[in-house]
Amino acid sequence: MLSNQHPQRVMPTQEADERGVKAADWDQKTEHPSSPNTPLGSSSSRESTIEQSSEKNVQASPPQRPFASDPPLDESKPSAPSRAFLQRSQIYCSSQVSTNHADILLLWCCVISGLVDSTIYNAFGTFVSMQTGNTIFLGLGGATPDSTSKPYGWAKSFVSIACFCLGCIVFSHMTRLLGNLKRSTLVASFLSQTLIIFVATIVVQCGAVNGSLDSITDDIDWYAIIPIALLSFQSAGQIVGSRALNLSEIPTVVLTSMLHDIFTDRNLLARDNVKRNRRVLAFFAILIGAICGGFIGEETTRMQIPLWIAGALKLIITLAWAFWPEKQTSAV
């Protein structure tokens, strides 16, 4: 009886195995058809089919780059050295400059004032820095329009005074907003003055305004208002800078009050008097600039030559502020 029952339990398993093998062979044949001479269920057929499929997958798959799984670098963000450089630059520009020996740069501004004023007065009969003389010209033009040889000369003086006042407003507000002694403030102020001088010089150089000193005979050339306005506007930046540096004894554009302060100083004859020395040097700096402007104009008869020199000097001052020593703060 046991021998009769044992085949009944084994037969279904054998039949299932045979059906599973046949089904697997059929799937492989449909996916990878073999040659008609190869038996359907042979092991060599299965192995060759697997090798062919693996070779096809290897050929079809694209080559993988190394580190392909790494996230791409964001090139828009600066690298660590760049961020450090930007941070150092920001700290450097926002630092306060030292006022030690800053009077040297303001004395050169006095030379520029004398150079430009003598040139513009020689050409157009007005000033762009010394507004005391322009006030007198403005009053004479309104009071004696028929007896003066230049009845419209007051217009040039009026433009110069108005643009100088406008420059005082702009430069003073900019200085207060950005910080009096900040390096970036001084560089921005003097760089703008430099560019304005160059623009006025280019206007003359290109022929929009007659720059020949020996041929200017008209009472007023209305195009001459352009360089007068520009140069008067930038002159205000110098006196604002002297106030910001707390060096009011070198106003760079004023002589009357400076002479008063020199000769009313009770320590006029003292051996060590820094403010007196600065005022005296500022007076002679303006005088030397005026002499140089007159001499250059006489020799070249071209108004733009002294203006180019003035712009170059102002550019040197701007670069000096960019590299001027930093103000030292003592630790408490």
Side-chain angles (χ1 to χ4, degrees):
M1 183 177 294
L2 292 172
S3 62
N4 292 333
Q5 292 177 356
H6 180 70
Q8 292 177 357
R9 291 197 303 269
V10 174
M11 286 301 293
T13 304
Q14 293 177 352
E15 292 177 358
D17 292 340
E18 291 177 357
R19 286 197 298 269
V21 171
K22 290 180 180 181
D25 291 341
W26 177 257
D27 293 338
Q28 292 177 1
K29 183 177 181 181
T30 54
E31 293 178 1
H32 306 285
S34 59
S35 61
N37 297 327
T38 306
L40 181 61
S42 63
S43 60
S44 61
S45 174
R46 289 197 298 270
E47 292 176 357
S48 62
T49 303
I50 293 172
E51 291 177 358
Q52 291 176 2
S53 62
S54 63
E55 290 177 359
K56 291 181 179 179
N57 291 333
V58 170
Q59 294 176 358
S61 60
Q64 298 294 330
R65 294 180 301 172
F67 310 107
S69 61
D70 295 343
L73 295 175
D74 189 0
E75 297 181 356
S76 61
K77 295 182 180 179
S79 60
S82 300
R83 289 195 300 269
F85 175 76
L86 292 175
Q87 187 177 7
R88 289 195 302 268
S89 300
Q90 185 178 5
I91 295 174
Y92 181 78
C93 293
S94 61
S95 63
Q96 292 189 346
V97 299
S98 173
T99 56
N100 294 334
H101 306 295
D103 50 355
I104 297 175
L105 301 182
L106 292 182
L107 290 175
W108 278 106
C109 289
C110 293
V111 175
I112 294 172
S113 295
L115 183 66
V116 174
D117 256 353
S118 63
T119 302
I120 297 300
Y121 181 79
N122 196 14
F124 304 126
T126 190
F127 299 105
V128 293
S129 298
M130 311 295 174
Q131 300 303 328
T132 303
N134 283 335
T135 304
I136 302 300
F137 293 154
L138 179 62
L140 289 175
T144 59
D146 298 328
S147 59
T148 181
S149 59
K150 297 181 178 180
Y152 292 102
W154 64 270
K156 294 178 285 188
S157 298
F158 174 77
V159 170
S160 179
I161 295 172
C163 291
F164 182 85
C165 294
L166 179 62
C168 290
I169 295 173
V170 173
F171 282 105
S172 62
H173 278 76
M174 181 185 72
T175 302
R176 294 192 195 101
L177 180 64
L178 300 179
N180 289 357
L181 295 178
K182 281 187 177 181
R183 188 184 309 277
S184 57
T185 303
L186 292 169
V187 171
S189 176
F190 280 85
L191 180 60
S192 60
Q193 297 171 41
T194 303
L195 295 177
I196 290 173
I197 292 177
F198 283 146
V199 170
T201 308
I202 291 172
V203 170
V204 179
Q205 185 74 47
C206 68
V209 177
N210 185 11
S212 181
L213 295 176
D214 56 354
S215 64
I216 300 176
T217 57
D218 296 336
D219 176 23
I220 184 170
D221 179 8
W222 293 107
Y223 288 105
I225 296 297
I226 299 174
I228 292 174
L230 292 173
L231 295 173
S232 299
F233 182 87
Q234 68 85 30
S235 295
Q238 294 185 169
I239 189 170
V240 171
S242 69
R243 296 295 192 269
L245 294 167
N246 198 22
L247 294 172
S248 57
E249 60 270 18
I250 311 177
T252 73
V253 295
V254 179
L255 276 176
T256 305
S257 62
M258 190 164 56
L259 290 173
H260 166 271
D261 293 337
I262 291 174
F263 292 100
T264 58
D265 190 354
R266 64 177 62 188
N267 297 320
L268 175 62
L269 301 178
R271 182 175 181 180
D272 295 327
N273 191 338
V274 177
K275 289 188 176 182
R276 176 208 57 197
N277 297 340
R278 288 171 177 168
R279 294 186 183 108
V280 172
L281 290 174
F283 171 80
F284 283 104
I286 293 175
L287 179 61
I288 291 172
I291 294 173
C292 291
F295 178 78
I296 295 172
E298 186 71 20
E299 292 295 323
T300 63
T301 68
R302 305 300 298 175
M303 183 176 61
Q304 60 267 31
I305 303 300
L307 296 182
W308 282 119
I309 297 174
L313 292 175
K314 191 67 71 81
L315 179 60
I316 294 174
I317 296 173
T318 304
L319 295 176
W321 285 127
F323 299 100
W324 200 256
E326 184 177 348
K327 183 179 180 180
Q328 300 296 328
T329 57
S330 58
V332 179

